Amino acid sequence: AAAAAGTASGNCAASMAGRVVIDHTAESDLAATLAREGPYDLVLEHVGGPVLDAALGSLAPAGRLLIVGYISEYPHNSEPLPHAHGDLAERLFWSGEEELRGEQRIRGNVWPKDRQLVRAAREEVFALHAAGEIEVVTEGGDAFVGLEAIPRAVEHMLSGATAGKVVATVASQ
């Protein structure tokens, strides 16, 4: 099921002129859905595991896939879901390297090593937000208040049921 307008994911995709956003948690056969909607020239993938397998299978012959995370493969999962790509997500994410598969390019984390570039980008993003040109998608709000709520906020973030960043308030104002 494509993410609908009005949802955090749908609004985010629309703001970037995204053609389709798929809620992987709502799909019984993600690979079939991706194949039906694809092939894709560009994929931003941050789930890993079987979702990465499905994304790789739907990539256009000269497509690009950027691994921006792989939450389903993090060690918090007592039984990681089986997947076919081995350590690809972890290896490329932490090295920032690129793997070529024919004309396809699979790239890991793209954070620049030059911290000045990161600072400049951060300032630009903050300015765009202050001007109302971009929206920060957050979840949690008043649900996680106080230091004792931090473990619940982290568990919620790791559950895969979130959209955007999970916010916890350490102390009320």
Side-chain angles (χ1 to χ4, degrees):
T7 66
S9 297
N11 291 344
C12 182
S15 73
M16 296 185 292
R19 184 172 62 85
V20 66
V21 174
I22 296 172
D23 178 358
H24 69 92
T25 64
E27 296 297 327
S28 60
D29 188 346
L30 180 61
T33 300
L34 289 176
R36 182 177 63 247
E37 298 288 339
Y40 302 96
D41 296 321
L42 176 65
V43 174
L44 302 177
E45 209 292 300
H46 42 88
V47 178
V51 175
L52 177 57
D53 287 343
L56 288 167
S58 66
L59 200 56
R64 295 167 295 162
L65 187 143
L66 177 61
I67 297 171
V68 294
Y70 56 107
I71 191 78
S72 73
E73 297 179 46
Y74 289 2
H76 71 281
N77 294 308
S78 59
E79 292 184 35
L81 297 173
H83 58 271
H85 60 265
D87 70 343
L88 177 74
E90 180 177 13
R91 183 170 41 82
L92 294 183
F93 181 82
W94 291 109
S95 71
E97 293 176 355
E98 180 174 87
E99 181 170 300
L100 298 177
R101 294 184 176 185
E103 291 185 54
Q104 293 178 334
R105 294 177 178 272
I106 296 95
R107 186 143 175 98
N109 191 347
V110 294
W111 283 99
K113 299 196 182 343
D114 181 345
R115 294 189 62 100
Q116 289 298 95
L117 288 175
V118 174
R119 287 185 189 100
R122 181 186 62 208
E123 294 306 317
E124 182 177 349
V125 167
F126 286 176
L128 290 169
H129 180 261
E133 294 184 43
I134 61 172
E135 175 185 357
V136 178
V137 178
T138 62
E139 190 173 297
D142 297 329
F144 306 111
V145 178
L147 283 176
E148 65 280 359
I150 300 298
R152 283 190 306 109
V154 171
E155 286 174 12
H156 181 65
M157 183 267 305
L158 292 174
S159 75
T162 62
K165 298 295 182 184
V166 174
V167 175
T169 304
V170 176
S172 59
Q173 297 182 10

